Structures are given as C-alpha cells and as structure tokens.
Amino acid sequence: MSASRYALVDGNNFYASCERVFRPSLEQQPLIVLSNNDGCAIARSNEAKELGIKMGAPWHTIKHLEREAGLVALSANFTLYGDISDRMMSLVSGFGHRQEIYSIDESFVDLTGIRGDLVARGQKLRQRVLQWLGIPICIGIGPTKTLAKLANHVAKDAERKRGSYPAEHAQVCDLTAVPAPALDALLMVTPAREVWGVGPRISDQLHNLGVFTVKDLRDMNPATVRSRWSVTLERTVRELQGVDCIDFDDAPAAKQEIACTRSFGGSVLEMEELAEAISAFAARVAEKLRLQGSHAGELLTFIRTSPFRQGAQYSRSAIMPMIPSTADTALLTKAALVSLRTIYRTGFKYAKAGVMALSLSPADQGQGELPFGVTPAGAKSELRAGLMATMDRVNDRYGRGSLHIARNESAAPTRQWSMKQERRTPHYTTDWQSIPLARA
Amino acid sequence: MRIALPDLSKPVPAGHLPALLGAVDFAIPAGFPSPAEDMTIKRCDLVELLGAHPQATFYMRVSGQSMVDAGIQDQDIIVIDRAIEPRHGHIVVAVVDNEFTCKRLHKRNGRVRLESANQTFPDIRPRDGQMLEIWGVVTASLTLFKP
C-alpha cells in the first residue's frame, strides 16, 4: 500500500476573485466583499489586504478608504459564488480519486498512489482553473490533511508575501517532496496557530509552554498532548508527524462555513432518497451551528454524480438566503429541500450530496431584520430557540436523529424579506436577465 | 427584451389524463436481463450541443451591430467557451477599456487586432504596449425571435 497523499485546493480571495471575472475594471483595485446587510468585510483582494483591512472589519470603520484609497466594496453575491464554486469543484475533482468539499472554495483531494510530479500536475490544474473560470487557486500537498492544509498556507504566503517562504513553493507546495531539513526550516518559521484546528485559545496555552512554531508543536509528545488538552489536539500532532488520522467527518469546522456532505455507497437515483439524505444533513448542520452559537445567512445544497463512474454526469448546487439568519432545523431543512427540488434532474446516478451553511454570524448578534422576533414560519423566535435546545438535548441523550423535523411540504410558504444589499453585482451566470453585456 | 423560458424553479403539474399503455405481447425469458433495462433515453439537449465544456461555458448578451456579417445580431445571446485556446479567426469576447467586446480575433505575423464583421465599424488595434485580454472564445450565437 502506498503512503497517503492529500491535496487541499482552494480559491485565492475567492469571493473577490469571482467578482473580478465579470468586472474587469476591478482588476488591480482594492476590493472587499461585505457580509449580509453590508455589515463587515468577509473577503479581501490582495490590494485590500495591503491597505491593512482585516477580515471581519466592520464596514463603517473602513468606509473612509473608499475615497482615500479607491477601495471598492461589494455586497455578497452568493448566487454567483455558488455557481463558480460548483464549476471549480468539478474541475478540481479530476485531480485525484476522491474529493471532499470542505467549504465553498476549499476541497481535499485524495492523491494516494498517484505517481509523477505532483507539483507539475498541480500547476496544470491551476492553469486550467485560471483559464476556464478566471479564478486563481493555491494547492497544498501533504501526507495528511493537516499537512496539506499547512502546505496550502505556505503556497499562498510564498506567492503573496515575498520573503515569507522560498519562492519555489508559491501557488503549489508539495511538502512530501521537501527533504527533512528543509521541511523543518519551513515549520520553524510558521507559527503554531496556523495549524488547522489550533484556535487562538490553544495557541495561547501553547505559548505559555514555549511552543511557538509548527515544528515545536510537531515535536511534542502525543501522549502529553492528549492528557493536557484533548484527543483532537493529539490527532493534530500525529498528523503533523505524518500519520494520517483525520477522516473527513471528524475534520475541525472551517471558520466561515459549516458543512455536512457524504458520498453514497451505491448510486442514488431517486429524489425521495436524496431528500432523506439532504434533510439529515441540514439537521446536522443546524446542530453544528447551534453547538458553536452561530446563525447561517445562506444555505448551500449540492448534488453530483461521480466523475469516476461511467454514464452521464451532473453536478449542481443552489444557494438559499436565510433571512433572518438562523440555526433553526426546520427552516434550514426546508431551505435545503426547496433547493434540492430546484436542482434535481431525473436519470442521473447521484454519488454525493451535501449541505453547507455559509455567511455565519454569532447567534447573539441578531442583525435585527424586520419584523423583530418573528421567524418566517410565524413562530416566536424564543419559543423556537427553546424547541431547538430541547431537540439537541434529546438527540444528545438518545442518539443523533432520534428527534427530527418531519419533512413537510405543506409548511407555510416562506415569506420573502428583502435584505440590504445595496452593492450587489448581478447574478451573471444564473439568471438570463442578468447575463453580462458584450459590446459589438 | 424578455426571454420566455420555462420556470423550472417551481414544480410543474403532471397531466390529469391517465397514461395509455399499449398492450405488450411478448415473453421475456426469465433470468435474462431486459435489453432496455439499463438504457435511459436522453432527449437531444441544446445545452449539451452548445457547451462542450460545461464548467467553462458562459453566456453574454450582445449589444450593437458590429458583428452582423458574422451572423451575430444586436441582442443575441452568445455562448462563450473559455476552455478553448483563442486563435486567429476565432470570434472572441475581449476586454477593451474594461468592457466586454465581441469581435473577430486577427492574429497574424505578430500583429493582433480585433476585427468587426460590419463595414461601417472600425477594427480595434491595441495601442502600443497595451495587452489585449481575451476573455473567451464565442462558439455560438442565439437569435431569439419575438413571436
């Protein structure tokens, strides 16, 4: 059996890059994308990063840069990003045997057993995605997912920040091809907090023990790590040591999205079966949201056939805005099922489906859309919150899925609240009325 | 202009009339798979015809008359395939002064220009040192007739 190899492929400044594809005038300009209701920066072009704009910076604190530095701020166009993501994921899936979508712009690809120069292969994929979609990507390759993610960080910084890492690692970085002393040198200049799953709290605790760099963390004794912290951090340390031990479903949650996706053992043909799976995923996503105290502003649902099987291929995703943002199982399940109905086509053998919560915000910072305290289903939100908490307790005690929302097509129709999105670009690729104009 | 396309975002009601089935009069040998079993019939699909590379296929609406002699009318919908390497003679969408422009690409003897397909329109020549950015290659143009 050959040693495991994974790639983490992601889009650079993904939302900003999507906007630039259809607005050439935004090239070279400092550009940010704002969260729902134009609250804060959720994506930044390199030029915007150079202006010192931080991720999550509230719009009103940086608005002055519009006049002073030519900053362009756009409202999030998740419909566009979802479609470009769908196209990108489909291209990236051809890079290895198995793909696990991790967030709207990131996926892991299993490269185990693939021979040849992986960096050259990666550059080719990068070139293809850039030409076909106009999206720049970075690729990190490692023997474990944690190291692949770290390699991706190296690939990004080597490209963007001159002098941070050797230039040969820019865009595509394969840690499995780096000799041990050079690898140590890379890990020594990378702070431990850059490691997947090491949050600020753990990073502070590590600091107190004199563990500053990724190399320090890698060289810790896993048993000590387990007794002092947790099995999760122990696993991270083992992964840094090159032992492949993170299954996709155990992966630490991404900061900006929460996802639940799965490949089906056989192939699924029927809507009914997919609906069953999608409801379960939506419920799981809702649970994860509540666990970390977040609300979702958008819900992405996708279904796809397997590119590795014979037969007609199909891959689609749909994004449903959740207004107001929510962690309510019933609302998220309903949104996912409506999306599924929109994208489902008969006659395909579906191999994978998933639900992803996007545009997350802390649950205690309700954006206060009108009407206050009323969910679209008409129930009082405190009551709903209580119901959800009870559901979580029941499921905790009796096992996941013991108590779930019945799929009910006759639920009250969702009311459409309009969201403040003054600066949104058109839905260039999903609405015939909004396709770009070409002069002739 | 409004294009009448079926709204697929909502369920379409099935017909109310019962389906009529012709009587079948042949035996299927037991244990032998039906030859039709694994043959899902797929209708001709325009999208399939137009989009050789579905991930790289985009649509734009044409505004202007400069390409009429190439069969591209004002308000047509053009299909763009970014997977195709632009070559001499291709009709392309280029980025000119930050705007999308549909022209024919002329690329000969180290000279590049964008040609109109209408005598009353000038060609576009890149100014000195100006890079010509080709956004994608146009593979089809759809003229929708107003009924």
Side-chain angles (χ1 to χ4, degrees), chain A residues 125-203:
Chain A
L125 174 68
R126 186 179 190 279
Q127 193 44 45
R128 166 165 287 198
V129 175
L130 191 60
Q131 187 189 328
W132 289 31
L133 305 178
I135 302 291
I137 60 172
C138 275
I139 302 173
I141 300 168
T144 65
K145 287 179 180 166
T146 303
L147 283 167
K149 199 137 163 67
L150 194 71
N152 181 280
H153 164 76
V154 173
K156 276 225 178 66
D157 271 14
E159 182 183 24
R160 196 168 72 81
K161 298 182 194 154
R162 197 158 298 182
S164 59
Y165 294 105
E168 76 221 46
H169 296 310
Q171 301 172 348
V172 180
C173 169
D174 179 4
L175 290 182
T176 66
V178 176
L183 181 62
D184 280 4
L186 286 177
L187 301 189
M188 249 188 293
V189 297
T190 310
R193 63 163 188 278
E194 296 298 345
V195 172
W196 193 29
V198 175
R201 199 175 53 88
I202 291 176
S203 144

Coordinates of all heavy atoms in Angstrom, one line a residue, chain A residues 125-203:
Chain A
L125 N -3.4 22.0 -13.2 CA -4.8 22.2 -12.7 C -5.0 23.7 -12.4 O -6.0 24.2 -12.8 CB -5.0 21.4 -11.4 CG -6.3 21.7 -10.7 CD1 -7.5 21.1 -11.5 CD2 -6.4 21.1 -9.3
R126 N -4.0 24.3 -11.8 CA -4.1 25.7 -11.5 C -4.3 26.5 -12.8 O -5.2 27.4 -12.9 CB -2.8 26.2 -10.8 CG -2.9 27.6 -10.3 CD -1.7 28.1 -9.6 NE -2.0 29.4 -9.0 CZ -2.0 30.5 -9.7 NH1 -1.6 30.5 -10.9 NH2 -2.3 31.6 -9.1
Q127 N -3.5 26.2 -13.8 CA -3.6 26.9 -15.1 C -5.0 26.7 -15.7 O -5.6 27.6 -16.2 CB -2.5 26.3 -16.0 CG -2.3 27.1 -17.3 CD -2.3 28.6 -17.0 OE1 -1.6 29.1 -16.0 NE2 -3.0 29.4 -17.8
R128 N -5.5 25.5 -15.6 CA -6.8 25.2 -16.2 C -8.0 26.0 -15.5 O -8.8 26.6 -16.1 CB -7.1 23.7 -16.1 CG -8.6 23.3 -16.3 CD -8.8 21.9 -16.6 NE -8.3 21.5 -17.9 CZ -8.7 20.4 -18.5 NH1 -9.5 19.6 -18.0 NH2 -8.2 20.1 -19.7
V129 N -7.9 26.0 -14.1 CA -9.0 26.7 -13.4 C -8.9 28.2 -13.7 O -9.9 28.9 -13.9 CB -8.9 26.4 -11.9 CG1 -9.9 27.2 -11.1 CG2 -9.1 24.9 -11.6
L130 N -7.7 28.7 -13.8 CA -7.5 30.1 -14.1 C -8.0 30.4 -15.5 O -8.7 31.4 -15.7 CB -6.0 30.4 -14.1 CG -5.7 31.9 -14.1 CD1 -6.3 32.7 -12.9 CD2 -4.1 32.1 -14.0
Q131 N -7.8 29.6 -16.5 CA -8.2 29.8 -17.9 C -9.7 29.6 -18.0 O -10.5 30.5 -18.5 CB -7.5 29.0 -18.9 CG -7.9 29.4 -20.3 CD -7.4 28.4 -21.4 OE1 -6.3 27.8 -21.2 NE2 -8.1 28.3 -22.5
W132 N -10.2 28.5 -17.5 CA -11.6 28.2 -17.7 C -12.6 29.1 -16.9 O -13.6 29.4 -17.3 CB -11.9 26.7 -17.3 CG -11.3 25.7 -18.3 CD1 -10.2 25.8 -19.0 CD2 -11.9 24.4 -18.6 NE1 -10.0 24.7 -19.8 CE2 -11.0 23.8 -19.5 CE3 -13.0 23.7 -18.1 CZ2 -11.3 22.5 -20.0 CZ3 -13.2 22.4 -18.6 CH2 -12.4 21.9 -19.6
L133 N -12.1 29.4 -15.7 CA -13.0 30.2 -14.8 C -12.5 31.5 -14.4 O -13.3 32.4 -13.9 CB -13.3 29.4 -13.5 CG -13.8 27.9 -13.7 CD1 -13.9 27.3 -12.3 CD2 -15.1 28.0 -14.3
G134 N -11.3 31.8 -14.6 CA -10.7 33.1 -14.2 C -10.4 33.2 -12.7 O -10.2 34.3 -12.2
I135 N -10.4 32.0 -12.1 CA -10.2 32.0 -10.6 C -8.8 31.5 -10.3 O -8.4 30.4 -10.7 CB -11.2 31.1 -9.9 CG1 -12.6 31.6 -10.2 CG2 -10.9 31.0 -8.4 CD1 -13.0 32.9 -9.6
P136 N -7.9 32.3 -9.6 CA -6.6 31.8 -9.2 C -6.8 30.8 -8.0 O -7.6 31.1 -7.1 CB -5.8 33.0 -8.8 CG -6.9 34.1 -8.5 CD -8.1 33.7 -9.2
I137 N -6.1 29.7 -8.0 CA -6.2 28.8 -6.9 C -4.8 28.5 -6.3 O -3.8 28.8 -7.0 CB -6.8 27.4 -7.2 CG1 -6.0 26.7 -8.3 CG2 -8.3 27.6 -7.6 CD1 -6.5 25.3 -8.6
C138 N -4.7 28.0 -5.1 CA -3.5 27.5 -4.5 C -3.7 26.1 -4.1 O -4.8 25.7 -3.7 CB -3.1 28.3 -3.3 SG -2.1 29.8 -3.7
I139 N -2.6 25.3 -4.2 CA -2.7 23.9 -3.9 C -1.6 23.5 -2.9 O -0.4 23.8 -3.0 CB -2.5 23.0 -5.1 CG1 -3.6 23.4 -6.2 CG2 -2.6 21.5 -4.8 CD1 -3.4 22.8 -7.5
G140 N -2.0 22.8 -1.8 CA -1.1 22.3 -0.8 C -1.1 20.8 -0.8 O -2.2 20.3 -0.8
I141 N 0.0 20.2 -0.8 CA 0.0 18.7 -0.8 C 0.8 18.2 0.4 O 1.9 18.7 0.7 CB 0.6 18.2 -2.1 CG1 -0.2 18.7 -3.3 CG2 0.7 16.6 -2.1 CD1 0.5 18.5 -4.7
G142 N 0.3 17.2 1.1 CA 1.0 16.6 2.2 C 0.5 15.2 2.5 O -0.5 14.7 1.9
P143 N 1.2 14.4 3.3 CA 0.9 13.1 3.6 C -0.4 13.0 4.5 O -1.0 11.9 4.6 CB 2.1 12.5 4.4 CG 2.8 13.7 4.9 CD 2.5 14.9 4.0
T144 N -0.8 14.1 5.1 CA -2.0 14.1 5.9 C -2.8 15.3 5.6 O -2.3 16.3 5.0 CB -1.7 14.1 7.4 OG1 -1.1 15.4 7.7 CG2 -0.8 13.0 7.8
K145 N -4.1 15.4 6.0 CA -4.9 16.5 5.6 C -4.4 17.8 6.4 O -4.4 18.9 5.8 CB -6.3 16.3 6.0 CG -7.0 15.3 5.1 CD -8.4 15.0 5.4 CE -9.0 14.1 4.4 NZ -10.2 13.5 4.8
T146 N -3.9 17.6 7.6 CA -3.4 18.7 8.4 C -2.2 19.3 7.7 O -2.0 20.5 7.5 CB -3.0 18.3 9.8 OG1 -4.2 17.7 10.4 CG2 -2.6 19.4 10.6
L147 N -1.3 18.4 7.1 CA -0.1 18.9 6.5 C -0.5 19.5 5.1 O 0.2 20.4 4.6 CB 0.9 17.8 6.3 CG 1.7 17.6 7.6 CD1 2.5 16.3 7.6 CD2 2.7 18.7 8.0
A148 N -1.5 19.0 4.4 CA -1.9 19.5 3.1 C -2.4 20.9 3.3 O -2.2 21.8 2.6 CB -3.0 18.6 2.5
K149 N -3.2 21.1 4.4 CA -3.7 22.5 4.7 C -2.6 23.4 5.0 O -2.6 24.6 4.6 CB -4.7 22.4 5.9 CG -5.6 23.5 5.9 CD -7.1 23.1 6.2 CE -7.9 24.3 6.7 NZ -8.2 25.3 5.8
L150 N -1.6 22.9 5.7 CA -0.4 23.8 6.1 C 0.3 24.1 4.8 O 0.8 25.2 4.6 CB 0.5 23.0 7.0 CG 1.6 23.9 7.7 CD1 0.9 24.8 8.7 CD2 2.6 23.0 8.4
A151 N 0.5 23.1 3.9 CA 1.2 23.3 2.6 C 0.5 24.4 1.8 O 1.1 25.2 1.1 CB 1.3 22.0 1.9
N152 N -0.9 24.4 1.9 CA -1.7 25.4 1.2 C -1.4 26.8 1.7 O -1.2 27.7 1.0 CB -3.2 25.0 1.3 CG -4.0 26.0 0.6 OD1 -4.3 27.1 1.1 ND2 -4.5 25.6 -0.6
H153 N -1.2 26.9 3.0 CA -0.9 28.2 3.7 C 0.5 28.6 3.1 O 0.7 29.8 2.8 CB -0.9 28.0 5.2 CG -0.2 29.1 5.9 ND1 -0.8 30.3 6.1 CD2 1.1 29.2 6.5 CE1 0.1 31.1 6.8 NE2 1.2 30.4 7.0
V154 N 1.4 27.7 3.1 CA 2.8 28.0 2.6 C 2.7 28.5 1.1 O 3.3 29.5 0.7 CB 3.7 26.8 2.7 CG1 5.1 27.1 2.0 CG2 3.9 26.4 4.1
A155 N 1.9 27.8 0.3 CA 1.8 28.1 -1.1 C 1.2 29.5 -1.3 O 1.6 30.3 -2.2 CB 0.8 27.1 -1.8
K156 N 0.2 29.9 -0.4 CA -0.4 31.2 -0.5 C 0.6 32.3 -0.1 O 0.7 33.3 -0.8 CB -1.6 31.3 0.4 CG -2.8 30.7 -0.1 CD -4.0 31.6 0.2 CE -5.2 31.0 -0.5 NZ -5.5 29.7 0.2
D157 N 1.2 32.1 1.1 CA 2.1 33.2 1.5 C 3.3 33.3 0.7 O 3.8 34.4 0.5 CB 2.5 32.9 3.0 CG 1.5 33.5 4.0 OD1 0.4 33.9 3.5 OD2 1.8 33.6 5.2
A158 N 3.8 32.2 0.1 CA 5.0 32.3 -0.7 C 4.7 33.1 -2.0 O 5.6 33.8 -2.5 CB 5.5 30.9 -1.1
E159 N 3.4 33.0 -2.4 CA 3.0 33.8 -3.6 C 2.8 35.3 -3.2 O 3.3 36.2 -3.9 CB 1.8 33.3 -4.2 CG 1.4 34.0 -5.4 CD 0.1 33.5 -6.1 OE1 -0.8 33.0 -5.4 OE2 -0.1 33.7 -7.3
R160 N 2.1 35.5 -2.1 CA 1.7 36.9 -1.8 C 2.7 37.7 -1.0 O 2.9 38.9 -1.3 CB 0.4 36.8 -1.0 CG -0.4 38.1 -0.9 CD -1.8 37.8 -0.4 NE -1.8 37.6 1.0 CZ -1.7 38.5 2.0 NH1 -1.6 39.8 1.6 NH2 -1.7 38.2 3.2
K161 N 3.4 37.1 0.0 CA 4.3 37.8 0.8 C 5.7 37.4 0.4 O 6.2 36.4 0.8 CB 4.1 37.5 2.3 CG 2.7 37.9 2.8 CD 2.6 37.6 4.2 CE 1.2 37.7 4.7 NZ 0.9 36.8 5.9
R162 N 6.4 38.3 -0.3 CA 7.7 38.0 -0.8 C 8.6 37.8 0.5 O 8.5 38.5 1.4 CB 8.2 39.1 -1.6 CG 9.4 38.7 -2.5 CD 9.6 39.6 -3.7 NE 8.5 39.5 -4.6 CZ 8.5 40.2 -5.7 NH1 9.5 40.9 -6.1 NH2 7.5 40.1 -6.6
G163 N 9.4 36.7 0.4 CA 10.3 36.5 1.5 C 9.8 35.7 2.7 O 10.5 35.3 3.6
S164 N 8.5 35.4 2.7 CA 7.9 34.6 3.8 C 8.4 33.2 3.7 O 8.8 32.6 4.7 CB 6.4 34.7 3.8 OG 5.9 34.2 2.5
Y165 N 8.3 32.6 2.5 CA 8.8 31.2 2.3 C 9.5 31.2 0.9 O 9.4 32.1 0.1 CB 7.6 30.3 2.2 CG 6.8 30.1 3.4 CD1 5.5 30.7 3.6 CD2 7.3 29.3 4.5 CE1 4.8 30.6 4.7 CE2 6.5 29.2 5.7 CZ 5.3 29.8 5.8 OH 4.6 29.7 6.9
P166 N 10.3 30.2 0.7 CA 11.0 30.1 -0.6 C 10.0 30.2 -1.8 O 9.0 29.6 -1.7 CB 11.7 28.7 -0.6 CG 11.8 28.4 0.9 CD 10.7 29.0 1.6
A167 N 10.4 30.9 -2.8 CA 9.5 31.2 -3.9 C 9.1 30.0 -4.6 O 8.0 30.0 -5.3 CB 10.2 32.2 -4.8
E168 N 9.9 28.9 -4.6 CA 9.5 27.7 -5.3 C 8.2 27.1 -4.8 O 7.6 26.3 -5.5 CB 10.7 26.7 -5.2 CG 10.7 26.0 -3.9 CD 12.1 25.8 -3.4 OE1 12.9 26.7 -3.4 OE2 12.5 24.7 -2.9
H169 N 7.8 27.5 -3.6 CA 6.6 26.9 -3.0 C 5.4 27.7 -3.4 O 4.2 27.3 -3.0 CB 6.7 26.8 -1.5 CG 7.7 25.8 -1.1 ND1 7.9 24.5 -1.6 CD2 8.7 26.0 -0.2 CE1 8.9 23.9 -1.0 NE2 9.4 24.8 -0.1
A170 N 5.5 28.8 -4.1 CA 4.4 29.6 -4.5 C 3.4 28.9 -5.3 O 3.7 28.1 -6.1 CB 4.9 30.9 -5.2
Q171 N 2.1 29.1 -5.0 CA 1.0 28.6 -5.8 C 0.7 27.1 -5.5 O -0.4 26.6 -5.2 CB 1.1 28.8 -7.3 CG 1.1 30.3 -7.5 CD 1.4 30.6 -9.0 OE1 1.8 29.8 -9.8 NE2 1.3 31.9 -9.4
V172 N 1.8 26.3 -5.7 CA 1.6 24.8 -5.5 C 2.8 24.4 -4.6 O 3.9 24.5 -4.9 CB 1.7 24.0 -6.8 CG1 1.5 22.5 -6.5 CG2 0.6 24.5 -7.7
C173 N 2.5 23.9 -3.4 CA 3.5 23.4 -2.5 C 3.3 22.0 -2.1 O 2.2 21.6 -1.6 CB 3.5 24.3 -1.2 SG 4.5 23.7 0.1
D174 N 4.3 21.1 -2.4 CA 4.2 19.7 -2.0 C 5.2 19.4 -0.9 O 6.4 19.3 -1.2 CB 4.5 18.9 -3.3 CG 4.4 17.4 -3.0 OD1 4.1 17.0 -1.9 OD2 4.7 16.6 -3.9
L175 N 4.6 19.3 0.3 CA 5.5 19.0 1.4 C 6.1 17.6 1.4 O 7.1 17.3 2.0 CB 4.8 19.2 2.8 CG 4.4 20.7 3.1 CD1 3.7 20.7 4.5 CD2 5.6 21.6 3.1
T176 N 5.5 16.7 0.6 CA 6.0 15.3 0.6 C 7.3 15.3 -0.3 O 8.0 14.3 -0.3 CB 5.0 14.3 0.0 OG1 4.8 14.7 -1.4 CG2 3.7 14.4 0.7
A177 N 7.5 16.4 -1.0 CA 8.7 16.4 -1.9 C 9.9 17.2 -1.3 O 10.9 17.4 -1.9 CB 8.4 17.0 -3.3
V178 N 9.6 17.7 0.0 CA 10.6 18.6 0.6 C 11.5 17.7 1.5 O 10.9 17.0 2.4 CB 9.9 19.7 1.4 CG1 10.9 20.5 2.2 CG2 9.1 20.6 0.5
P179 N 12.8 17.8 1.4 CA 13.7 17.0 2.2 C 13.5 17.4 3.7 O 13.2 18.6 4.0 CB 15.1 17.3 1.7 CG 15.0 18.2 0.6 CD 13.5 18.6 0.4
A180 N 13.8 16.5 4.6 CA 13.5 16.7 6.1 C 14.1 18.0 6.6 O 13.4 18.8 7.3 CB 14.0 15.5 6.9
P181 N 15.4 18.4 6.3 CA 15.9 19.6 6.9 C 15.2 20.8 6.4 O 14.9 21.8 7.2 CB 17.4 19.6 6.5 CG 17.7 18.3 5.9 CD 16.4 17.6 5.5
A182 N 14.8 20.8 5.1 CA 14.1 22.0 4.5 C 12.7 22.1 5.1 O 12.1 23.1 5.4 CB 14.0 21.9 3.0
L183 N 12.1 20.9 5.4 CA 10.7 20.8 5.9 C 10.8 21.4 7.4 O 10.0 22.3 7.7 CB 10.2 19.4 6.0 CG 8.8 19.2 6.6 CD1 7.8 19.9 5.7 CD2 8.5 17.7 6.7
D184 N 11.8 21.0 8.1 CA 12.0 21.6 9.5 C 12.1 23.1 9.4 O 11.5 23.8 10.2 CB 13.2 21.0 10.1 CG 12.9 19.6 10.7 OD1 11.8 19.1 10.5 OD2 13.8 19.1 11.3
A185 N 12.8 23.6 8.4 CA 13.0 25.0 8.3 C 11.7 25.7 8.0 O 11.4 26.8 8.6 CB 14.0 25.3 7.2
L186 N 10.9 25.1 7.2 CA 9.5 25.7 6.9 C 8.7 25.7 8.1 O 8.0 26.7 8.4 CB 8.8 24.9 5.8 CG 9.3 25.0 4.4 CD1 8.4 24.0 3.5 CD2 9.1 26.4 3.9
L187 N 8.7 24.6 8.9 CA 7.8 24.5 10.1 C 8.3 25.5 11.2 O 7.5 25.9 12.0 CB 7.8 23.1 10.6 CG 7.3 22.0 9.6 CD1 7.1 20.7 10.3 CD2 6.0 22.5 8.9
M188 N 9.6 25.8 11.1 CA 10.2 26.6 12.2 C 9.8 28.1 12.0 O 9.8 28.8 13.0 CB 11.7 26.5 12.2 CG 12.2 25.8 13.4 SD 14.0 25.8 13.6 CE 14.5 24.8 12.2
V189 N 9.5 28.5 10.8 CA 9.1 29.9 10.6 C 7.6 30.0 10.5 O 7.1 31.1 10.2 CB 9.8 30.5 9.3 CG1 11.3 30.5 9.4 CG2 9.3 29.7 8.0
T190 N 6.9 29.0 10.8 CA 5.4 29.1 10.8 C 4.8 29.0 12.2 O 5.1 28.0 12.9 CB 4.8 27.9 9.9 OG1 5.5 27.9 8.7 CG2 3.3 28.1 9.7
P191 N 4.1 30.0 12.6 CA 3.5 30.0 14.0 C 2.5 28.8 14.1 O 1.8 28.5 13.2 CB 2.8 31.3 14.1 CG 3.1 32.1 12.9 CD 3.7 31.2 11.9
A192 N 2.5 28.2 15.3 CA 1.6 27.1 15.6 C 0.1 27.4 15.3 O -0.6 26.5 15.0 CB 1.8 26.6 17.0
R193 N -0.3 28.6 15.5 CA -1.7 29.0 15.3 C -2.1 28.8 13.8 O -3.3 28.8 13.5 CB -2.0 30.4 15.8 CG -1.3 31.5 15.0 CD -1.9 32.8 15.2 NE -1.2 33.7 14.3 CZ -0.1 34.3 14.5 NH1 0.6 34.1 15.7 NH2 0.5 35.1 13.6
E194 N -1.2 28.7 12.9 CA -1.6 28.5 11.5 C -2.0 27.0 11.2 O -2.5 26.7 10.2 CB -0.4 28.8 10.6 CG 0.1 30.2 10.6 CD -1.0 31.2 10.1 OE1 -2.0 30.8 9.5 OE2 -0.8 32.4 10.3
V195 N -1.9 26.2 12.2 CA -2.2 24.8 12.0 C -3.7 24.6 12.1 O -4.4 25.2 13.0 CB -1.5 23.9 13.1 CG1 -2.0 22.4 13.0 CG2 0.0 23.9 12.8
W196 N -4.3 23.8 11.2 CA -5.7 23.5 11.2 C -6.1 22.9 12.5 O -5.6 21.9 13.0 CB -5.9 22.4 10.1 CG -7.2 22.2 9.7 CD1 -8.3 23.0 9.6 CD2 -7.7 20.9 9.1 NE1 -9.4 22.4 9.1 CE2 -9.1 21.1 8.8 CE3 -7.1 19.7 8.9 CZ2 -9.8 20.1 8.2 CZ3 -7.9 18.7 8.3 CH2 -9.2 18.9 8.0
G197 N -7.1 23.6 13.1 CA -7.7 23.0 14.4 C -7.0 23.6 15.6 O -7.5 23.4 16.7
V198 N -6.0 24.5 15.5 CA -5.4 25.1 16.6 C -6.0 26.5 16.7 O -5.6 27.4 15.9 CB -3.8 25.2 16.5 CG1 -3.3 26.0 17.7 CG2 -3.3 23.8 16.5
G199 N -6.9 26.7 17.6 CA -7.6 28.0 17.7 C -6.7 29.0 18.6 O -5.7 28.6 19.1
P200 N -7.2 30.2 18.7 CA -6.4 31.2 19.5 C -6.2 30.8 20.9 O -5.2 31.0 21.5 CB -7.3 32.5 19.4 CG -8.4 32.2 18.5 CD -8.4 30.8 18.1
R201 N -7.2 30.1 21.5 CA -7.1 29.8 22.9 C -6.0 28.7 23.1 O -5.1 28.9 24.0 CB -8.5 29.2 23.4 CG -8.7 29.2 24.9 CD -10.1 28.7 25.2 NE -10.4 27.4 24.6 CZ -10.1 26.2 25.1 NH1 -9.6 26.1 26.3 NH2 -10.4 25.1 24.5
I202 N -6.0 27.7 22.3 CA -5.0 26.7 22.4 C -3.6 27.3 22.1 O -2.6 27.0 22.8 CB -5.3 25.5 21.5 CG1 -6.5 24.7 22.0 CG2 -4.1 24.5 21.4 CD1 -7.0 23.6 21.2
S203 N -3.6 28.1 21.1 CA -2.4 28.7 20.7 C -1.8 29.5 21.9 O -0.6 29.5 22.1 CB -2.6 29.6 19.5 OG -1.8 30.7 19.5

